[in-house]
Amino acid sequence: MSIWKRIAEQISSVTGEAFNPQEPKHVGGGCINTAVKLSDGQSTFFVKLNRAELLDMFEAESEGLAALAASQSIRVPIPVCSGVAEGQAYFVMEAIPMGHGGSKSMELAGRQLAEMHRVRENRYGWQRDNTIGSTPQANTWTDDWVDFWRQHRLGFQLELAVRNGYGRSIQTLGEHLLDRFPVLIDHAPQPSLLHGDLWGGNLAYDESGGPVIYDPAVYYGDREADLAMTELFGGFGQAFYAAYREAWPIDPGYGVRKSLYNLYHILNHANMFGGGYLGQATGLMERLLAEV
Ligand code: ADP
């Protein structure tokens, strides 16, 4: 039986409705997985595929989307099912027909993200580990934010960089930075529900211009970590930031913390892709150390 037939059967059994899809349509744009749309002309599903051993990554994505959806703030695709068929891991979610967004959509995105960040826990971390891109991301519950960021975010990526053979200078700079961490962060934020990988490529607009976010790396942490990432590669306009700040002002000292939070993603890119990201990470660490 073909993989599509098996996935269609699973969709039918979860939704309780017959589903006999036509030929799958491949979708471009993803960095990590193969993506297709499966449709029977009435219902359409967005399906991601990867190697069978990566099922856990899809299950974490599914739980992440469910947690974001439960916040009833910003729209996310609703997860449907996941599993292994014909030797491949799959993850099925609602397919959202995408449209365009103007400044009103951006404004809504800012307001809704602030609402999502109001969902809180009393510790940092999450119910399970997940991945950031294709790199493991540990979410061990931790009481102290500085400890969490030092150990499970920057510390982990720095160790990975050393294991990848990126040399002593990154290790030395990293050790200095971890030492000065409490001075650089000096901040006890509330543990907010975060998307975790909120770059411009993970935001789109539905057909009525409503914002949609997807492909999350969910955990509870400093909301500034999400905001920092929106600034890393661009794509979020002024209307977004104005609406966010109006809904929930940003604390003083964000500028330095922003660099520290984005260093995590730059190091992750260096660990995944190497090249120019390594120089960018080193430069940023030197600038941060010059601040203290
Ligand atoms: P990957 O996990 O491989 O990085 P993404 O989740 O980023 O893949 O999805 C790839 C592209 O597919 C996105 O840029 C977006 O345009 C589109 N997309 C993602 N999820 C959906 C969805 N549920 N419905 C419609 N399009 C989607």
Side-chain angles (χ1 to χ4, degrees):
M1 198 191 287
S2 84
I3 183 167
W4 308 117
K5 197 136 200 291
R6 283 193 187 276
I7 293 173
E9 278 180 1
Q10 189 58 27
I11 293 173
S12 290
S13 93
V14 171
T15 61
E17 286 173 20
F19 182 59
N20 294 302
Q22 300 139 6
E23 278 297 297
K25 285 204 176 67
H26 281 264
V27 181
C31 309
I32 311 290
N33 306 292
T34 302
V36 302
K37 280 186 184 160
L38 264 190
S39 179
D40 64 357
Q42 278 203 306
S43 307
T44 307
F45 296 91
F46 189 89
V47 185
K48 289 187 182 186
L49 296 173
N50 212 318
R51 301 194 312 276
E53 59 271 27
L54 295 177
L55 175 62
D56 197 56
M57 174 181 81
F58 283 155
E59 286 174 348
E61 183 175 347
S62 174
E63 279 183 46
L65 286 174
L68 299 185
S71 75
Q72 298 191 321
S73 50
I74 191 161
R75 186 172 184 189
V76 297
I78 303 301
V80 176
C81 58
S82 55
V84 172
E86 306 294 314
Q88 291 215 70
Y90 64 85
F91 170 39
V92 181
M93 67 189 109
E94 168 195 18
I96 299 182
M98 300 298 182
H100 298 283
S103 68
K104 282 266 164 273
S105 308
M106 281 276 172
E107 203 180 303
L108 199 56
R111 233 182 1 254
Q112 291 181 337
L113 187 72
E115 236 175 86
M116 191 186 101
H117 287 162
R118 295 269 181 206
V119 177
R120 60 173 300 167
E121 257 292 339
N122 42 28
R123 292 171 300 168
Y124 307 97
W126 198 38
Q127 65 208 28
R128 63 172 297 157
D129 295 342
N130 47 19
T131 48
I132 181 77
S134 52
T135 312
Q137 174 168 274
N139 296 316
T140 315
W141 289 116
T142 306
D143 290 325
D144 183 86
W145 174 242
V146 174
D147 286 349
F148 180 83
W149 195 262
R150 182 156 47 188
Q151 186 178 348
H152 299 301
R153 294 294 181 264
L154 264 201
F156 178 81
Q157 290 287 346
L158 285 165
E159 270 171 35
L160 204 55
V162 172
R163 263 187 275 146
N164 282 338
Y166 287 164
R168 288 221 41 88
S169 79
I170 208 157
Q171 188 175 12
T172 313
L173 282 170
E175 279 163 7
H176 286 309
L177 204 57
L178 294 179
D179 278 350
R180 292 184 180 57
F181 229 66
V183 183
L184 282 165
I185 292 196
D186 187 24
H187 183 57
Q190 77 161 51
S192 289
L193 179 65
L194 304 186
H195 176 283
D197 193 9
L198 197 54
W199 69 290
N202 285 342
L203 165 76
Y205 299 95
D206 65 21
E207 285 179 315
S208 52
V212 183
I213 55 176
Y214 40 83
D215 206 13
V218 166
Y219 64 101
Y220 284 86
D222 185 353
R223 65 198 174 100
E224 291 177 358
D226 261 358
L227 288 177
M229 186 150 203
T230 65
E231 293 192 54
L232 185 56
F233 301 114
F236 294 75
Q238 276 319 305
F240 168 85
Y241 296 106
Y244 187 97
R245 283 169 189 267
E246 190 182 291
W248 195 352
I250 308 296
D251 300 326
Y254 167 63
V256 172
R257 293 190 294 270
K258 174 171 80 180
S259 302
L260 204 53
Y261 294 154
N262 280 341
L263 177 58
Y264 172 64
H265 295 290
I266 297 170
L267 277 171
N268 186 41
H269 277 69
N271 281 321
M272 287 194 297
F273 310 119
Y277 290 114
L278 199 55
Q280 201 183 339
T282 316
L284 185 53
M285 284 198 265
E286 283 164 348
R287 281 202 304 283
L288 276 164
L289 282 168
E291 300 265 350
V292 281

